[in-house]
Amino acid sequence: MGNTLPLFLLFQKLDYRDKDNSGFKKLAGIVIAYLFSNTMLSFSFSLVYDERSFVIMSLTSNLFLLTMIVINDFNNLFLATGSIDILRSLPIKIGQVFSAKFLSAVVYLLIFIITASVPQIIFFYSISESTSLSVSFFFTNILFCYLSIGSVTLIYCLILIYLKKYSTVFLNLFQFLFFIFVFYSTSKGSRPSSFDSQMFQKQDLLSDGFIKYLPQSFFSGSVYEPLIFLILLAVCTVVFLMLYKFISTGYNILLENALSLKRNKTSKFKFPEFKKASELFTRLLPGSNIELASFRLVRDHINNSRYLRLKYIPLLIIPVIVVIIGFFSNSAEYLFFESKSGFLRTAFLVISPSVSLTVLLCARMLISNTKILDDSSSDTKWIFDSLPSGNISSYIKGVNSFIYFVMILPMLIFIFLMLLFKADTLTIFLNFIYISSSVYFVISIASLFDKTLPFTLESSKYNSATRFLEVLISMVIGVAVFLIQIFIFQNIIFVITATVLFITVSYLLNRN
């Protein structure tokens, strides 16, 4: 125990430190991002859901937020892979290293949990108007977050030991479930009936058959029943004791497997057709040779890295799955928005915000993924700095052109070909040109504020707080795009004018 406390203090400093900035700046940035994103989410939940459902949605959002942080940064958070070589050279036992790192991780995660909970408590109090229930919700939130972290981390450890090749798939599965959660919560609040009524009735999630069987639905009852809270406390304690015992026993195996995954991320698959097809788009690029080079850079990186492909492919599939869900649900409101209200009535069917928001969200996440390195690489920014010419803007525009023309546009074409079975050709065509041009416009505008070079950020460094904030900002932009669409779909001339305007401005932005 003699070395555990000094190691714990050391890990606390390392957890909050960024090699480019001081610890305070990094921590302040994460706290601000969490407060902002959870305030937006909580506000949205408070408008759409009743009191008990608000608790369920808050617990669910925290489940995804915290578990994605843990899985993304598991190696450094629990195993200290970044500093293990130095620690092994010191006269300390490996068990003391793990104990200190485990305790440091628990404390580190508490900051995220409390930061995420603060906006939720404020909005919960505005709904319940009860101080005692708000306090109860706060402690329930903390326990449920730790229970989620402990359970998912335990499962991930099992995968890392026995099925280590599928560890990346596990992370992508959680990202996929998160997008389903965003889609579900968005579709609940964007149904036409919500707009047609003078003040729409708040949703009761427990009225949905499968929702009441989810763990967070059961644990939401602990806000109102002390007995359930005690059960939650006992389960959380048991899970963390099991996690501690499991990692301490298999620490060396987990450490070696985590390090070997970084060393052996070679791809067995190549896609020459993908490479040839992308060459067709290089002739259409309006920019310089630098943009062409960055276009080919992202193409070759994705073509040669299985790790990166697993980050891109799910984002291309998710919008398609959303449309397929609409097909099988036989519910027009999941695919198209139609209102009988005079203010919101349009001359043509408008694509549902559940679809358009998901498309825009996935488009922004695809762009964000171009910032992340393959996990077998590190410190690549010096390569760009050593080049004799070019600027950040040129590199970013080339990468964005690849993402849009090679990934997003084909995906949109496929989606709208599917929708031809649900609406007439003119309606689908107008929706397609509007959505495709507006997405290109949003990407072009965002590139003006983007200062991060492609493939220069390590996955753990590009933390989940930043990505979660991007999701929320993308949702806000998506709502704006949808509201504009309702206005311009009053007349076919408006639609064509808006499309031409989006394309022209985007082209001019990408020329400079």
Side-chain angles (χ1 to χ4, degrees):
M1 290 295 291
N3 293 320
T4 302
L5 181 58
L7 282 171
F8 167 75
L9 297 175
L10 171 65
F11 287 136
Q12 281 287 285
K13 292 179 181 178
L14 292 175
D15 283 339
Y16 305 131
R17 190 194 70 179
D18 185 82
K19 59 184 172 184
D20 297 325
N21 299 304
S22 68
F24 176 76
K25 288 183 179 179
K26 178 183 177 182
L27 183 61
I30 292 174
V31 168
I32 291 171
Y34 269 57
L35 286 174
F36 179 75
S37 58
N38 276 277
T39 298
M40 292 175 63
L41 265 185
S42 299
F43 175 67
S44 174
F45 293 159
S46 67
L47 291 178
V48 177
Y49 301 101
D50 63 18
E51 181 179 306
R52 181 75 176 267
S53 300
F54 176 88
V55 175
I56 296 172
M57 293 299 289
S58 297
L59 295 179
T60 306
S61 65
N62 287 347
L63 182 152
F64 286 111
L65 176 64
L66 273 301
T67 52
M68 283 196 291
I69 290 173
V70 171
I71 299 171
N72 265 311
D73 204 21
F74 173 80
N75 292 349
N76 287 322
L77 201 58
F78 287 99
L79 303 181
T81 54
S83 51
I84 194 63
D85 291 333
I86 297 174
L87 293 170
R88 279 174 169 171
S89 66
L90 299 176
I92 52 178
K93 296 180 180 179
I94 199 70
Q96 293 176 326
V97 172
F98 164 70
S99 298
K101 197 72 188 84
F102 189 89
L103 180 59
S104 177
V106 171
V107 175
Y108 176 73
L109 290 169
L110 180 62
I111 295 175
F112 288 83
I113 295 171
I114 293 176
T115 302
S117 300
V118 169
Q120 296 170 348
I121 296 166
I122 294 172
F123 282 98
F124 178 80
Y125 179 79
S126 70
I127 298 171
S128 66
E129 298 182 348
S130 170
T131 303
S132 59
L133 286 179
S134 299
V135 172
S136 179
F137 172 53
F138 174 69
F139 286 107
T140 296
N141 213 342
I142 292 176
L143 280 178
F144 183 79
C145 286
Y146 272 123
L147 177 60
S148 302
I149 290 167
S151 302
V152 173
T153 305
L154 191 56
I155 295 171
Y156 185 69
C157 288
L158 289 169
I159 293 174
L160 197 57
I161 289 180
Y162 301 107
L163 301 166
K164 67 176 182 179
K165 292 181 180 180
Y166 300 98
S167 57
T168 306
V169 176
F170 184 67
L171 172 60
N172 284 306
L173 174 62
F174 254 87
Q175 291 178 335
F176 173 75
L177 292 174
F178 174 66
F179 280 108
I180 293 297
F181 165 69
V182 171
F183 162 70
Y184 178 81
S185 60
T186 302
S187 64
K188 273 283 186 179
S190 61
R191 294 181 178 178
S193 58
S194 299
F195 293 90
D196 290 336
S197 59
Q198 31 186 349
M199 278 304 276
F200 64 87
Q201 184 177 1
K202 291 193 174 183
Q203 301 286 337
D204 178 12
L205 290 178
L206 293 177
S207 62
D208 284 1
F210 76 96
I211 295 291
K212 60 186 177 184
Y213 297 110
L214 296 177
Q216 53 267 44
S217 297
F218 172 74
F219 287 122
S220 66
S222 66
V223 175
Y224 310 93
E225 295 290 339
L227 178 60
I228 300 178
F229 181 85
L230 292 175
I231 294 173
L232 174 59
L233 178 60
V235 172
C236 185
T237 303
V238 170
V239 167
F240 260 83
L241 288 174
M242 290 174 59
L243 178 64
Y244 181 86
K245 181 66 177 176
F246 185 82
I247 299 182
S248 62
T249 303
Y251 183 79
N252 287 323
I253 299 175
L254 286 167
L255 188 61
E256 290 306 316
N257 284 356
L259 292 173
S260 69
L261 281 174
K262 278 198 164 189
R263 291 191 296 264
N264 301 321
K265 281 286 183 182
T266 56
S267 175
K268 296 180 181 179
F269 262 150
K270 303 286 182 181
F271 294 104
E273 297 82 2
F274 175 70
K275 184 174 181 178
K276 291 176 182 177
S278 65
E279 279 296 323
L280 297 175
F281 292 97
T282 60
R283 302 171 188 173
L284 304 175
L285 287 177
S288 63
N289 289 333
I290 297 169
E291 291 180 38
L292 178 60
S294 63
F295 181 98
R296 288 173 173 160
L297 172 69
V298 66
R299 177 199 66 193
D300 293 341
H301 264 59
I302 297 172
N303 191 53
N304 294 322
S305 172
R306 176 177 173 271
Y307 172 81
L308 290 179
R309 285 200 299 277
L310 286 173
K311 284 185 170 294
Y312 287 84
I313 292 174
L315 294 172
L316 292 172
I317 295 175
I318 287 170
V320 177
I321 291 176
V322 169
V323 174
I324 291 174
I325 291 173
F327 266 83
F328 283 100
S329 67
N330 291 320
S331 177
E333 66 188 32
Y334 282 107
L335 295 176
F336 296 99
F337 177 88
E338 184 178 17
S339 175
K340 298 177 181 179
S341 162
F343 175 72
L344 296 174
R345 183 178 298 168
T346 59
F348 305 94
L349 284 176
V350 173
I351 196 77
S352 166
S354 299
V355 178
S356 58
L357 262 68
T358 305
V359 167
L360 186 60
L361 182 61
C362 289
R364 281 303 308 155
M365 297 309 291
L366 284 167
I367 298 293
S368 297
N369 280 345
T370 63
K371 313 301 178 186
I372 301 173
L373 273 169
D374 182 280
D375 62 348
S376 61
S377 305
S378 61
D379 297 327
T380 56
K381 190 175 180 297
W382 68 269
I383 299 174
F384 291 95
D385 294 337
S386 65
L387 295 176
S389 60
N391 54 58
I392 294 177
S393 176
S394 297
Y395 294 123
I396 291 171
K397 287 175 183 176
V399 171
N400 290 355
S401 294
F402 177 88
I403 295 297
Y404 181 78
F405 288 109
V406 180
M407 291 187 165
I408 298 171
L409 193 58
M411 178 259 289
L412 285 173
I413 292 172
F414 181 72
I415 285 175
F416 283 96
L417 286 175
M418 293 173 61
L419 291 174
L420 281 172
F421 293 97
K422 290 291 185 179
D424 62 273
T425 304
L426 179 60
T427 296
I428 297 303
F429 175 73
L430 292 175
N431 275 278
F432 169 73
I433 62 173
Y434 175 80
I435 295 297
S436 57
S437 62
S438 62
V439 169
Y440 189 44
F441 176 73
V442 170
I443 290 174
S444 301
I445 293 293
S447 68
L448 298 177
F449 306 95
D450 192 351
K451 302 301 179 185
T452 305
L453 287 162
F455 304 114
T456 54
L457 296 179
E458 297 173 18
S459 182
S460 60
K461 194 176 172 186
Y462 198 64
N463 57 70
S464 296
T466 304
R467 306 200 73 182
F468 198 67
L469 183 59
E470 276 206 37
V471 169
L472 270 296
I473 293 174
S474 299
M475 289 176 66
V476 172
I477 295 173
V479 170
V481 168
F482 169 69
L483 293 176
I484 294 171
Q485 186 177 9
I486 290 178
F487 172 74
I488 70 169
F489 267 57
Q490 307 294 331
N491 187 295
I492 190 171
I493 302 298
F494 290 173
V495 181
I496 295 175
T497 303
T499 300
V500 171
L501 183 63
F502 283 153
I503 294 174
T504 302
V505 173
S506 301
Y507 179 80
L508 293 174
L509 288 174
N510 288 302
R511 286 286 294 179
N512 297 324

